[in-house]
Amino acid sequence: MRPGAPAAPRPGRARLAAPSLSPPTPPPDEVRPPPATRASPPLPPRRPGAVPRGAGTRPLTPPRLRDQQGARSRRSPVPGRSMKVEFAPLNIPLARRLQTAAVLQWVLSFLLLAQVCIAVIVILIVYNYWFLYVPYMTWLYFDWSTPEQGGRRSNWVRSWTVWRYFKDYFPIHLIKTWDLDPSRNYIFGFHPHGVLVAGAFGNFCTNYSDFEELFPGFTAYLHVLPFWFRCPLFRDYLMTSGSVSVSKKSVSHVLSKEGGGNISVIVLGGAEESLDAHPGKFTLFIRQRKGFVKIALTHGASLVPVFSFGENELFKQVNNPEGSWLRTVQEKLQKIMGFALPLFHARGIFQYNFGLMPYRKPIHTVVGRPIPVPQTLHPSPEQIEELHQTYMEELRKLFEAHKRKYGIPEHETLIFR
């Protein structure tokens, strides 16, 4: 055998070829078709400027977690929009700053001054400053009935400059629609009560309203709850504004003055109506208020409806519909203490979102046409009911005649309760 020649197989023994794992090679002239694959749907056309999926740096989020995050983002408000506090600018004119200060002291006086005065008396008694509280208590004993006998007004207090800034804060306007006879006495039925009765105080308890110009020869007495005249020291401050008690004896004293020219201003809705003093509402508690009608008949005093447009727009209240637990508690406290506790809020001193300062909304107090009342010393229930219905009709006419001037929609009307 030559070197390098293949060895010849042995006769009688066949060699088995090892199986190959690779597919057999097709002949050169045979073309195999490509393996079958699933057809992919065509991709939608890409929007101009769109970024391909996965091209950004944002990590992929599982579908379930992505849906939860989307729902959470829809429920939550936009950050910085609903909770943003709107502060007052620093370049506000000095006059407006003084107006804010004037209204602030008035609100604090209404809410806290009575408690502070009582605390002062208690401190004087506890620390035995007898030379201060004994003379005052002695004088208070003899002066107790003064709020029912015309009060003790002070033109000096009523002319304080602070009341001019108070009036200009809103501002407050007094509108006369009918001339009154100075030789007669009148009862002004003031509506609505509002939260703090700012319109009645600004028009009838200060010398900066147009009352003396529009009604020359008249003296107005604002009748308030007798409770406030039981607070020592505070009662004396309150009487300087011309306020007197709303008791029957007090109203009769004013209307019995000889020569006429006296006006009893009575907020007829009372404390109960303040619980319904919501912006845009015109609910008046008057159907069961007939005592003023009987007094008018007894003294022959003419009745004059007065509506203060804008009074209910000064504050917002916590929602307290009839039947709610809050309204039930407020009504029970009102029956026990004699005055209501509306949970009101508005703007602040240096910001406009929350606080106890009233909004700067104009107040237009419109004095209506007087209703002549003949004197009847012993009026019958029928006479009282007839005059009461006449008064409510005149009040409704006054509201309807002037509501469009002060931005009240045509469909709004008074609701008597």
Side-chain angles (χ1 to χ4, degrees), residues 240-271:
T240 59
S241 65
S243 300
V244 293
S245 175
V246 77
S247 65
K248 178 181 178 181
K249 181 179 178 181
S250 177
V251 178
S252 298
H253 177 85
V254 173
L255 300 179
S256 300
K257 289 187 175 183
E258 299 292 337
N262 300 287
I263 300 176
S264 286
V265 183
I266 306 175
V267 186
L268 296 177

Side-chain angles (χ1 to χ4, degrees), residues 267-319:
V267 186
L268 296 177
E272 187 178 7
E273 189 175 282
S274 66
L275 299 178
D276 269 329
H278 295 271
K281 293 188 64 176
F282 305 97
T283 303
L284 306 181
F285 287 71
I286 190 176
R287 291 193 179 276
Q288 305 301 323
R289 311 296 172 100
K290 301 179 181 179
F292 74 102
V293 176
K294 184 176 180 179
I295 294 179
L297 285 167
T298 303
H299 295 276
S302 300
L303 292 174
V304 182
V306 178
F307 197 90
S308 190
F309 293 90
E311 194 75 40
N312 284 352
E313 310 299 321
L314 304 182
F315 296 94
K316 295 179 181 178
Q317 283 197 56
V318 177
N319 192 26

Side-chain angles (χ1 to χ4, degrees), residues 58-376:
R58 182 177 178 180
L60 297 178
T61 307
R64 184 176 180 180
L65 182 59
R66 186 166 57 247
D67 294 341
Q68 293 177 356
Q69 293 176 350
R72 191 182 302 116
S73 64
R74 287 190 297 270
R75 288 194 301 266
S76 61
V78 178
R81 179 172 299 175
S82 61
M83 299 300 294
K84 183 179 179 181
V85 178
E86 184 181 359
F87 288 95
L90 297 177
N91 57 347
I92 290 181
L94 178 61
R96 291 179 67 88
R97 297 285 189 187
L98 295 176
Q99 293 167 9
T100 302
V103 175
L104 175 63
Q105 67 83 26
W106 177 75
V107 172
L108 294 179
S109 299
F110 190 92
L111 298 178
L112 299 176
L113 187 57
Q115 295 88 321
V116 171
C117 291
I118 294 175
V120 169
I121 296 296
V122 172
I123 291 173
L124 293 178
I125 295 175
V126 170
Y127 288 94
N128 197 25
Y129 288 96
W130 60 268
F131 54 91
L132 293 178
Y133 72 80
V134 169
Y136 177 78
M137 290 299 184
T138 303
W139 177 78
L140 181 62
Y141 174 79
F142 292 100
D143 191 65
W144 189 255
S145 59
T146 300
E148 294 183 339
Q149 297 176 353
R152 187 170 46 251
R153 69 177 56 218
S154 170
N155 282 326
W156 175 67
V157 175
R158 290 168 57 94
S159 300
W160 283 353
T161 307
V162 66
W163 304 129
R164 175 167 62 87
Y165 289 110
F166 172 85
K167 169 183 173 291
D168 294 338
Y169 173 89
F170 300 97
I172 299 176
H173 305 278
L174 185 65
I175 296 93
K176 183 180 75 171
T177 62
W178 208 272
D179 291 331
L180 303 183
D181 185 2
S183 63
R184 298 182 59 85
N185 294 325
Y186 295 85
I187 294 180
F188 279 14
F190 188 91
H191 310 272
H193 184 284
V195 175
L196 299 182
V197 207
F201 180 86
N203 282 311
F204 305 113
C205 293
T206 71
N207 289 339
Y208 287 98
S209 70
D210 297 329
F211 178 81
E212 293 184 356
E213 298 177 4
L214 298 176
F215 302 97
F218 283 93
T219 303
Y221 300 83
L222 179 62
H223 295 267
V224 300
L225 289 175
F227 168 82
W228 299 114
F229 298 102
R230 302 188 185 114
C231 302
L233 299 179
F234 179 77
R235 64 189 293 275
D236 304 294
Y237 174 70
L238 185 60
M239 281 191 291
T240 59
S241 65
S243 300
V244 293
S245 175
V246 77
S247 65
K248 178 181 178 181
K249 181 179 178 181
S250 177
V251 178
S252 298
H253 177 85
V254 173
L255 300 179
S256 300
K257 289 187 175 183
E258 299 292 337
N262 300 287
I263 300 176
S264 286
V265 183
I266 306 175
V267 186
L268 296 177
E272 187 178 7
E273 189 175 282
S274 66
L275 299 178
D276 269 329
H278 295 271
K281 293 188 64 176
F282 305 97
T283 303
L284 306 181
F285 287 71
I286 190 176
R287 291 193 179 276
Q288 305 301 323
R289 311 296 172 100
K290 301 179 181 179
F292 74 102
V293 176
K294 184 176 180 179
I295 294 179
L297 285 167
T298 303
H299 295 276
S302 300
L303 292 174
V304 182
V306 178
F307 197 90
S308 190
F309 293 90
E311 194 75 40
N312 284 352
E313 310 299 321
L314 304 182
F315 296 94
K316 295 179 181 178
Q317 283 197 56
V318 177
N319 192 26
N320 58 341
E322 291 284 347
S324 63
W325 69 268
L326 176 58
R327 186 61 170 267
T328 303
V329 172
Q330 289 175 325
E331 291 175 348
K332 288 183 178 180
L333 291 176
Q334 190 263 329
K335 292 179 181 179
I336 295 173
M337 299 184 299
F339 59 91
L341 295 174
L343 299 181
F344 63 91
H345 59 92
R347 52 159 290 183
I349 303 174
F350 302 108
Q351 43 77 30
Y352 303 123
N353 295 78
F354 54 88
L356 298 180
M357 290 284 295
Y359 293 115
R360 285 182 180 266
K361 301 285 186 178
I363 300 174
H364 296 87
T365 303
V366 183
V367 181
R369 183 179 69 89
I371 303 172
V373 179
Q375 185 175 12
T376 307

